């Protein structure tokens, strides 16, 4: 089962920006303040669940934002500035 994330375009329409093998691959949690990055939790190809950022324009993972060796991150608490 595939899960698709959509991004709103400037014209008000939507476009697909990320296709996943179900919600277990990546759990979206927030957008950056400028809307350029999606913050998500994932353990795909990782030993533990990490907070990562994904470029909304490309759908590609940009980097690991936070990881705790030996522990899964359950949920981040983000401020408005993200």
């Amino acid at each position: 089962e595939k899960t698709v994330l959509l991004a709103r375009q400037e014209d008000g329409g939507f476009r697909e920006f990320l296709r996943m093998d179900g919600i277990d691959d990546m759990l979206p949690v927030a957008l950056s303040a400028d809307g350029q990055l999606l913050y998500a939790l994932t353990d795909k190809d990782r030993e533990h669940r990490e907070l990562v950022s994904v470029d909304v324009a490309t759908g590609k993972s940009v980097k690991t934002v936070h990881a705790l060796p030996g522990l899964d991150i359950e949920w981040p608490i983000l401020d408005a500035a993200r």
Side-chain angles (χ1 to χ4, degrees):
E1 182 175 318
K2 297 285 186 187
T3 298
V4 175
L5 296 180
L6 302 174
R8 176 163 255 155
Q9 298 180 189
E10 289 183 15
D11 67 3
F14 290 91
R15 67 172 175 80
E16 179 181 320
F17 86 93
L18 186 62
R19 186 177 289 253
M20 304 177 295
D21 292 327
I23 199 69
D24 293 334
D25 276 0
M26 188 175 294
L27 178 63
V29 295
L31 283 172
S32 61
D34 63 6
Q36 301 298 307
L37 297 173
L38 170 75
Y39 295 109
L41 295 172
T42 186
D43 59 5
K44 185 174 183 177
D45 301 325
R46 294 165 165 79
E47 194 170 324
H48 299 283
R49 191 175 314 113
E50 300 176 356
L51 179 63
V52 299
S53 60
V54 177
D55 185 311
V56 172
T58 66
K60 302 292 182 193
S61 182
V62 176
K63 67 176 184 174
T64 296
V65 176
H66 194 73
L68 297 167
L71 297 172
D72 287 334
I73 295 176
E74 291 295 324
W75 195 259
I77 298 174
L78 303 168
D79 65 15
R82 295 182 193 81

